[in-house]
Amino acid sequence: MDTPRAPGRSGDAGSPGPTTTFNSGFLLVMHSQSDTFLSCPADMTQLWTGYSLLYLEGQEKAHTQDLGQAGSCMCLFSTMPFPYCKMGMCDHVSCNDKSYWLSTAAAVPMMPVVGQDIQQHISCCIVCEAPSPAVAVHSQENSNPFCPTNWRSLWVGYSFLMFIQ
């Protein structure tokens, strides 16, 4: 059995703790449905701006993008934003590959759009870091619902339910 011993002398003081705040990790993605970039709501940090990607079809595989997730806000617009590689060689498109982007309210042109003119037809988006998760509150009446206590409203919109049979 060990005999109790007297405590030793105090050690050196430790280094100070972190002085910066850490990222929350809660992301908020907003799509303008116009060709103007939004800004983040107060108390949120802008991570990036981009263009609203909905859906990709490539190499006979479909990839949908949830507009509430950061992957739907691409920093750069490209009609084929992905490459494919096979046996060490990479290419950008195949003849049947497609990309679908969220559009703006700009009038649909009668002729194909080329160059910078396409920008007015592609929705802009922004990814923000929020201090807490965003919560959607829906009403089944004609009035806008209220936010929970101590929460603030970011925007008011309409509920959308899609049913595919």
Side-chain angles (χ1 to χ4, degrees):
M1 183 160 135
D2 290 335
T3 56
R5 298 179 188 219
R9 66 177 182 85
S10 294
D12 296 333
S15 59
T19 57
T20 58
T21 57
F22 291 98
N23 296 336
S24 65
F26 298 112
L27 300 182
L28 175 71
V29 183
M30 298 185 300
H31 302 272
S32 69
Q33 291 190 268
S34 74
D35 62 347
T36 49
F37 288 98
L38 302 167
S39 55
C40 291
D43 302 327
M44 294 188 195
T45 305
Q46 176 181 318
L47 298 179
W48 70 86
T49 59
Y51 301 93
S52 307
L53 177 65
L54 292 172
Y55 181 86
L56 293 170
E57 254 179 55
Q59 300 176 46
E60 299 178 12
K61 292 180 177 66
H63 305 279
T64 59
Q65 293 296 323
D66 179 343
L67 288 177
Q69 299 295 321
S72 68
C73 188
M74 301 290 285
C75 293
L76 297 171
F77 173 79
S78 170
T79 55
M80 277 298 121
F82 61 96
Y84 70 92
C85 300
K86 187 176 182 180
M87 306 275 294
M89 291 187 54
C90 294
D91 208 344
H92 277 87
V93 294
S94 178
C95 61
N96 62 345
D97 293 348
K98 301 176 191 101
S99 65
Y100 296 86
W101 300 80
L102 186 62
S103 65
T104 65
V108 177
M110 298 303 288
M111 300 299 289
V113 180
V114 295
Q116 294 296 321
D117 293 340
I118 199 167
Q119 194 166 2
Q120 65 182 325
H121 299 281
I122 306 299
S123 172
C124 294
C125 54
I126 189 168
V127 178
C128 309
E129 184 176 44
S132 65
V135 175
V137 180
H138 298 268
S139 169
Q140 294 185 5
E141 301 172 356
N142 288 336
S143 60
N144 292 331
F146 294 100
C147 288
T149 306
N150 297 326
W151 287 65
R152 66 184 163 104
S153 177
L154 296 173
W155 65 81
V156 176
Y158 294 93
S159 303
F160 176 75
L161 176 66
M162 185 169 148
F163 177 74
I164 300 174
Q165 196 164 342

